[in-house]
Amino acid sequence: MEANFSGTGRLPAPFLTPGSSSFMDFLAQHQPEMLPRNRQLPTQGVIEAPHGTTIVAASFPGGVVLAGDRRATMGNVIAQRDIEKVFPADEYSAVGIAGTAGLAVEMVKLFQLELEHFEKVEGVSLSLEGKANRLSTMIRSNLGMAMQGLAVVPLFAGWDVDRQKGRIFSYDVTGGRSEEHGFAATGSGSLFARGALKKLFRDDLTEGQAATLVVQALYDAADDDSATGGPDLARRIYPIVIVITDEGLRRLTEAECSEVVRAIHERRLEEPDGPRAALL
């Protein structure tokens, strides 16, 4: 079903036929082999593939912050030090990935296309609740591959234009969806990150404090989980932090992340086990 402009210069019939507003349904009908769930995997043996790890999120009165570390591991080996695990889904939402890195990135790209396709067909954007449900369906369709060790467990966050607040959704490998209130974490370092979030979270955080909170949580996760990469000051590799408010989505620049990381690092020199009371 590749687009062919030779001859008549027209798109193939599937592109011109009215159908579902779901891009996944379109692929399933016309070119199902392009869907990750339809790939043939070896029946025996373990597939060694890079895995992404810790993703964290926290809400504040004006929006929500989503962040991820930069390390990908393959067994006991660091496969990549600067992988990107947090991506914009559309103007008002973002998704962070934990699990099999290559498959997760592909799923995110498909999710981005799904939201764009719906908006073009229907003329309106999906609600945040609808986006969360679409992502749940995509994860559920990957269950067969997850059972073979290729699991993808994302964290989804965005600004709900109807409710006028930031919201966070977590998932399990079966596509089960849960709305998290205040903060959330997923991935191998999530247990340690959640402890930091629980200790430092407040309902009245500012945007800057929320950004500091999620980076602090990743710092704590990296302290106890070898698969989570802490900020690398020597290589200038910092967590990816995305802030979503009623004005849309914004990724913190390297300079902004560097400032947050260095402030936390200086505080850690005084308190190696992390701040005991308040955020910086």
Side-chain angles (χ1 to χ4, degrees):
M1 194 195 60
E2 294 182 359
N4 181 7
F5 297 97
S6 62
T8 63
R10 291 174 58 86
L11 286 169
F15 290 93
L16 305 174
T17 304
S20 170
S21 58
S22 169
F23 186 71
M24 283 186 65
D25 291 346
F26 177 77
L27 280 183
Q29 182 177 358
H30 299 291
Q31 202 158 358
E33 68 277 6
M34 293 189 68
L35 290 171
R37 67 181 184 229
N38 291 330
R39 290 189 181 143
Q40 296 297 318
L41 297 177
T43 56
Q44 295 181 343
V46 177
I47 298 176
E48 288 289 341
H51 279 66
T53 50
T54 311
I55 305 294
V56 296
S59 61
F60 61 96
V64 65
V65 178
L66 185 66
D69 78 305
R70 305 293 297 276
R71 178 175 292 177
T73 58
M74 191 161 57
N76 65 327
V77 176
I78 297 176
Q80 188 174 345
R81 298 181 186 275
D82 60 351
I83 189 173
E84 297 199 3
K85 307 177 189 175
V86 183
F87 304 90
D90 64 2
E91 185 182 359
Y92 288 101
S93 62
V95 58
I97 56 171
T100 307
L103 188 61
V105 171
E106 190 171 359
M107 185 177 291
V108 168
K109 291 179 179 178
L110 185 57
F111 183 53
Q112 292 168 333
L113 282 172
E114 176 82 356
L115 300 185
E116 185 177 348
H117 182 80
F118 179 91
E119 186 172 353
K120 287 182 176 179
V121 172
E122 300 293 339
V124 294
S125 299
L126 266 173
S127 66
L128 190 67
E129 193 91 21
K131 297 171 190 176
N133 289 337
R134 289 292 176 99
L135 184 55
S136 179
T137 301
M138 294 178 67
I139 298 168
R140 188 176 300 115
S141 69
N142 188 59
L143 183 58
M145 300 185 77
M147 296 296 288
Q148 298 187 58
L150 301 179
V152 176
V153 187
L155 202 59
F156 178 66
W159 176 260
D160 192 322
V161 296
D162 298 319
R163 300 190 185 185
Q164 287 294 294
K165 68 174 186 177
R167 300 173 67 188
I168 304 167
F169 298 91
S170 63
Y171 300 86
D172 59 35
V173 293
T174 67
R177 192 206 77 180
S178 300
E179 181 170 0
E180 305 288 348
H181 300 283
F183 57 86
T186 191
S188 64
S190 59
L191 177 65
F192 311 108
R194 184 177 290 274
L197 292 165
K198 185 182 293 185
K199 178 174 65 176
L200 298 174
F201 178 79
R202 302 194 313 267
D203 291 328
D204 60 346
L205 293 173
T206 64
E207 178 181 316
Q209 289 173 331
T212 300
L213 171 60
V214 294
V215 176
Q216 177 72 65
L218 291 173
Y219 207 120
D220 280 3
D223 200 34
D224 289 294
D225 175 46
S226 62
T228 303
D232 192 331
L233 298 177
R235 296 184 177 89
R236 291 192 289 184
I237 300 174
Y238 308 115
I240 295 176
V241 182
I242 286 182
V243 179
I244 312 168
T245 66
D246 60 349
E247 296 181 353
L249 178 148
R250 180 176 71 90
R251 174 173 168 171
L252 265 60
T253 65
E254 182 177 303
E256 290 173 313
C257 282
S258 172
E259 184 177 346
V260 172
V261 167
R262 291 183 185 280
I264 293 173
H265 184 69
E266 290 175 4
R267 182 73 173 269
R268 280 302 183 99
L269 294 177
E270 301 174 5
E271 299 180 75
D273 294 326
R276 298 184 182 88
L279 290 169
L280 297 173

